[in-house]
Amino acid sequence: MSASLNAAATAAPVTAVDPACAEPLPVLGRDVTVPLVTGSEVTYAALDYAASAPALQRVWDDVAAYAPYYGSVHRGAGYLSQLSTDLFEQSRATVAEFLDCRPADQVVFTRSTTDSLNLLAAALPAGCQVFVFETEHHAALLPWTDAQVTYLNAPRTSDEAVATLERALADRAPYGPALVCVTGASNVTGELWPVKELAAAAHAHGARIVLDAAQLAPHHPVSVQDLDVDWVAFSGHKLYAPFGSGVLAGRADWLQEAEPYLAGGGASRTVARRADGGVDVEWHATAARHEAGSPNVIGVYAIASACRALREAGFENLVARERHLITKVREGLAGVPAVRVLSLFGDGAPRVGVISFVVDGWNSSHFAAALSAEYGIGVRDGLFCAHPLVRTLLGSEPQAQGECGAPEAASSSGGTPALNAIRVSFGAGTPDEHVERFVRAVRELVADGAKWQYRTEQGRCVPAV
């Protein structure tokens, strides 16, 4: 492999600094300007990291350095194919190191967290029971269609979460496989879940556990061994890596015993015709068993680059700086009486940079549209693909209507209450000015109202022209 590709693998030690003075990591789009309805322009404040974080400049540079060497993976004898194959497998080792996997664990590359959890769902042994809290993102809530699923009510403390799981597991059938699925950090409230304690409870009752780390891995170190989880899933696009790649890492046995997630080239080791006209197939027992087809080598390399960049930057520094930003936002919102921040575990719960809230007298879609059109701030509104959780937090009926990404229409006169919320999220690339502008905008909108008229278009609130 060329020296330019190897150079990214080393970096100088990082020294802890005052989070208030630390610079954000360079990301793509940090200098992009967007038009406002007033006719002026402003630097875009990307505060929707929980949906897709901007790519790190370091990741983009690494991908650009590799692009001329692009070749087929696991297929060709040529130099570029061999180099790309080496890069692909080295990326697998980088991800395993990033996650502190056990020596026998497999790292399977997928399209996303959703794809990873659906892969695991397809690999469950017959008769497997699945336990999942209603607070999960739909990616973790919905894939278990072929299993016996127990949905657990939303806990209001970390201790209650552990106790709820222990009771459910104690009541299950004493034999047969079982799996617990839990998030590491909520994509709605940002609150950290007691993963290590939940893993201990699962194992004490003969169950396994999979960690949805989509919102945790970009903000905190994730150690498979320390947390003692059986699998972990995450997405590259939330880890500051572009392109559609994800990871499922963990124990190999269930994956090796399952039918391939996709049937085709790459997953098959040998294929032979039978005398009766049929086909005999021997499938790979390695991660390749579930990676049929030509892999997304650029997406995989981008994930590995992001893993290296975060480790080199030092999670201690990243966490300290993010707490500094969280404090700015939470203290700012606390000073606006009309704002109610949504929380399961209370104000003192540890969290990542994900905060959801509602504003009295405002439809959340209208409020988010005004933040964008009048201040150049990008946030998310709706139910965040976690409908049961948001309904619980808003105190609505479990069957109340609402759509992910297209909430109930808002009026132009300030909006009416609806079953949706606003989410602001940030991370390693967020400058102080973005969160300061956000807090100022919230105060001004609540105090003075929107300066523009808005209308509904295809379920979205947009500026009227």
Side-chain angles (χ1 to χ4, degrees), residues 314-339:
F315 269 107
E316 181 179 351
N317 295 329
L318 298 176
V319 169
R321 186 171 191 284
E322 185 170 308
R323 286 174 179 162
H324 162 73
L325 297 178
I326 292 171
T327 298
K328 274 181 175 285
V329 173
R330 287 179 58 83
E331 289 182 351
L333 294 180
V336 184
V339 170

Side-chain angles (χ1 to χ4, degrees), residues 10 12 35 60 133 150 153 242 266 429 445:
T10 60
W60 192 259
F133 286 93
T150 299
N153 292 334
L445 287 172

